Amino acid sequence: MEIFNKINDWRAKVFVWVGLPVIAGIGLLLGVGDLGPAWQAKGGGGTAGTFTAVSEECSRRSCTWHGDFVADDGAKRADVILYDAPDTLSTGETAPALDTGARKGVFAAAGGSTWLLVTALTLAGVVAAVAWVLFLTWKIRRRRAQTEALPDPVNQP
């Protein structure tokens, strides 16, 4: 049974000292910048325009469309991602889109669930950051209390 305690202690330490900061960093770096634009697109805000599909990049689970966005007022953004792209989109076709200022892309005007993913990512980052700071504070206070409880070797008889 002792070996299980050692494994659990080891896993907990790795999670606290490596996992929480990594989760916080990824969540905050990737989520915070696009949180506002994703929610703005969810509400139908932003600059309306047209996305033209140029290329599709697929991974094991999903595909991402890259292309050009031209706003109704004539402003252009080249090589952007279309978040929440329609399933029927193909190379050369266009789709109505909204530019809300997201770093890498524009959002399909029909909507989708990107706002939910970005919100969850940001929330996970915030929770991990708060948990890590609370843990560090607890650890520092505990160490100080232990140090203060030790007898002073200089003043020993």
Side-chain angles (χ1 to χ4, degrees), residues 42-141:
K42 178 190 180 302
T47 304
T50 304
F51 174 86
T52 303
V54 174
S55 65
E56 184 178 29
E57 180 182 316
C58 293
S59 64
R60 294 172 67 188
R61 297 186 181 156
S62 65
C63 293
T64 303
W65 278 102
H66 295 264
D68 301 319
F69 174 79
V70 178
D72 292 345
D73 66 5
K76 297 178 183 180
R77 285 183 68 185
D79 193 27
V80 295
I81 295 170
L82 178 61
Y83 299 113
D84 303 318
D87 294 335
T88 59
L89 194 64
S90 61
T91 304
E93 289 186 353
T94 62
L98 299 169
D99 184 5
T100 57
R103 291 175 294 167
K104 294 184 178 183
V106 295
F107 296 87
S113 61
T114 297
W115 67 273
L116 190 58
L117 177 65
V118 172
T119 302
L121 186 64
T122 304
L123 186 59
V126 168
V127 169
V130 168
W132 195 56
V133 167
L134 290 174
F135 176 79
L136 288 176
T137 304
W138 172 77
K139 191 76 168 171
I140 290 168
R141 286 182 180 172

Side-chain angles (χ1 to χ4, degrees), residues 22-47:
V22 167
I23 293 168
I26 290 172
L28 294 174
L29 289 174
L30 297 180
V32 168
D34 288 335
L35 185 63
W39 274 86
Q40 187 178 1
K42 178 190 180 302
T47 304

